[in-house]
Structures are given as C-alpha cells and as structure tokens.
Amino acid sequence: MQRDQIRNLISILDLSVDEINGLIDVANDIDQHPERYQEACRHKQLATLFFEPSTRTRLSFESAMLSLGGSVLGFSSANSSSAAKGESVSDTVRTVGNYADIIAMRHPKEGAPMIASQHTVVPIINAGDGGHFHPTQTLTDLLTISRKKGRLSDMTIGLCGDLKFGRTVHSLIEATLRYPNIRYILISPEELRVPEYMIDELKEAGADFEEVTDLEAAMPQLDILYMTRIQKERFFNEEDYLRLKDTYILTPDKLKNAKSDLSILHPLPRVNEISVKVDEDPRACYFYQTLCGKQIRMALILFLLGIHPEEQA
Amino acid sequence: MNIDGVTTGIVLDHIQAGKSMEIYEYLGLDKLQSCVAVIQNVRSAKYGKKDIIKIDELIDLNLDVLGYFDPNITVNYIKDGKLLEKKHLALPDRLTDVLHCKNPRCITSCEQEIPHVFELVDREKKIYRCIYCDTQVRV
Ligand SMILES: [Zn+2]
C-alpha cells in the first residue's frame, strides 16, 4: 500500500466529525454485541511501542486488541527498548513495521509519532507524545460524554484544574469546538489558565466561554465536569505546587449545587483531586471512562486496519 | 529598474535597507568567482531607502529562504542585457532547516538528523508552526 493511503491518528483533528461519530457508533455496537468482534483481528498484531511508561494506556490498547482476537507485542519503557542504545524513532519503526500490522506509540518527545508515520506503511496511533497530543484519550472522553448525554452538542462543559499544561483539556476543547452549541467554563488557578493560543481558537470559533477561579460557583451550570490533575513536575518550586494542589479538590460538599445529571470525567490516574467519597456518587463517570477507552480503541483499530465486522451483522 | 553593469546575471532589488550583508552571507555570495556588487541605502520612491545586490552570473537561488529573509525583495533574471524574468517574493509556505525549533520537548531536539520543518500558519502576522510539535514562531 502507498504511504499516502495509510490513515494514522496523530492528532484528534486527523479525524473528521463524521469519522468520530462513526467510531462512536462502532464502539456502541461493540458494547452491545461483543461476540461480533471477537475474531475481527485474528492473525493481526498490534505493537505497543512505549518509550515512556504508561501502564494504563498500554493495557487499554492491549486489552482492546486481544478482545478483537488479535495479538500484541512491544515494550513498555525506553530502558527495555533499542532506544536505550540510541536507535532513532524512524529506525525502530522501520523494523517494527515489518512485524506488526498497526502500531500504538507513546514517546516523551513531541512529534515522535508523526516522524514514525513518515517511515512506515503501518498505521500509527499516537498514544501520547510529551505535552502535545493524546488523541485516544480525547476519543475516550467523547464516547463517554456521548453515552452519558446521548449527544455531543448543546451542553455546558466545565474544565477544571491544570488548564495550562493539560493536553487532554486542549484536545477536548479542539474536538468539541466542532460540535454545535457547546459552552465552556474554564476553571483554574490564575497560574494555570488556558494558554493564549487556545483562547484564540475559542474566539475564532465564536465559542461561548468564560474563565473563572471558583469551582463551586460554576458548579450549578455544568452538564459535564472534566477534572484534571495538577502535576508536580509542572511547577518550578515546591512551594507553588503545595499552595495550589489542594485548591480544586472535588468533594461531595462541592457537588451539592450540581445538576442531578452532571457527569464527572477525569483522564486518570487520580491523585487527590477527586475525593474517594465522590466515587460512590452516580454522577462519577471516571471509572466508566476506562471501559469507553477500551471500546473506542477497538473501534479505532478496526477503522485504521479497514476492517468492518459490523457490516456483516 | 537599473540593470547597469549586469548583462547576464541576477539583480536582487528592494532589499530592506541594511539587510543586504546578511543576505550576502546567507546565500554564500562570497564564494562566487563572478563579480558581485552590494549597494546599500539606495534612494527608492517606494521604500525610502533600499539595498540592491547585483550578481554577474545566473546562479540557483533558494527563493524560499530569500522570501523568508525579506518577502519584499524582487528578483530580476537578466540575460544578454534583457530582463528574462521578474519574481516577486513572498513568505514561503514551508521552510526546511531555516528556522529551528526551540521547544526542548520537540523530537527534533534529540534526533539530530530530522529536518526542522515549519509551515506558515498566518501570512499577515508572519507566524510559522513546527510540523512536529506545533510550536509557533513569529518571524
Ligand atoms: Zn518542534
């Protein structure tokens, strides 16, 4: 196959709205009829090339492929890979492209999956590149929202926590901007506000948004609350981190004025930004999200490999 | 257009005053055997002052790089005293190994052999974007 005919997923914007809606339909069909898919990727291999560890994401990909009847190979940290010996991304991919049918790659450097896609005819899925993109997380978020709300339009989304460095936040905004009538409430400490270029994108799209610092005050308006972690490594000094990390902890108390059909999402892993007491609340969707994450990855693998078991149903 | 002194060669006209030496060096004109004239602070009706470079030879110029340096330059190709072609430059859509990505998390920061490629995202504001990590630079 020619390289320009290969579909990759480097950024969420590589997929059209129609394609995303199609993936959501397949993921829903997988949920209803898993047996239709259990042999779909027989004799196909997924390589998970994780140049930095992310057990959660890797397991999600591997579980997705195994549930499609395929098999998996790969490595889970740069230490155990040829990268430790100084091999380039392009050389690694040229080699692995001869073993596997599809590759999921995580890399600490931004743009590494894009380089990979230029050196193989095997589809590349970006499983996270530095602070840049993590499109399968965004697909997971979209599937979760669509299942919980029955739509991806007409709602108020509150994004809370580290909005400056939180790549999942930026991708979710970029993805949902393409759906009609979404309002954004951007809740963060002053220091971790959404970067200027995102504000420009919101303005350019004519989106309705406001930036606030008070989570509780915003709560009654929200249909979706997307919580993110305030990461220690984002701060220059310990003092700033300690001062800010507890500011936006979600507790049952802060939820008392929330809508009864609010959905609380979080890309996980959680540290302490959501109290464990919230886990029992039916509005907590963050563990349900991991199921959505597996099913949308199944749909994505099928899409990129051009396999359509749902058509035979 | 005054093409005095060049019968066959290239005249770079309308260079922003003061920029000609930078362009001279970048194009490596010092390595040419043929005659090269750098004329600075020429009066111009349009720009007030401008620089001009005259090269007594038809050489291959990277017009993308030249357009990046100064999009207002006009390039005149002259043969046997006649104007062969006049090219108006513009900021190029794509630059390879001209701008360098300064994002320490960019893949180009650790793999030396990868070309630094930038794409023009906003012609008016002169903003380029690294195709790998999306870091934007204003030129
Ligand atoms: Zn870059």
Side-chain angles (χ1 to χ4, degrees), chain A residues 110-111, chain B residues 100-109 116-118 129-136:
Chain A
E110 300 171 5
Chain B
H100 286 261
C101 188
K102 293 202 176 74
N103 174 8
R105 295 183 311 272
C106 181
I107 184 69
T108 55
S109 73
H116 288 240
V117 182
F118 279 77
R129 176 187 66 88
C130 170
I131 64 161
Y132 308 109
C133 71
D134 289 295
T135 294
Q136 296 197 346

Side-chain angles (χ1 to χ4, degrees), chain A residues 88-89 107-112 114-115 132-133, chain B residues 103-105 107 109-111 114 131-134:
Chain A
S88 67
V89 166
H107 200 288
K109 294 290 179 181
E110 300 171 5
M114 188 195 184
I115 298 279
H132 192 214
F133 293 139
Chain B
N103 174 8
R105 295 183 311 272
I107 184 69
S109 73
C110 70
E111 295 202 5
I114 296 172
I131 64 161
Y132 308 109
C133 71
D134 289 295

Side-chain angles (χ1 to χ4, degrees), chain A residues 35-49:
Chain A
E35 71 287 350
R36 285 182 192 163
Y37 296 86
Q38 62 197 7
E39 298 288 327
C41 285
R42 226 177 139 198
H43 306 306
K44 299 280 183 195
Q45 296 185 24
L46 164 76
T48 51
L49 308 186

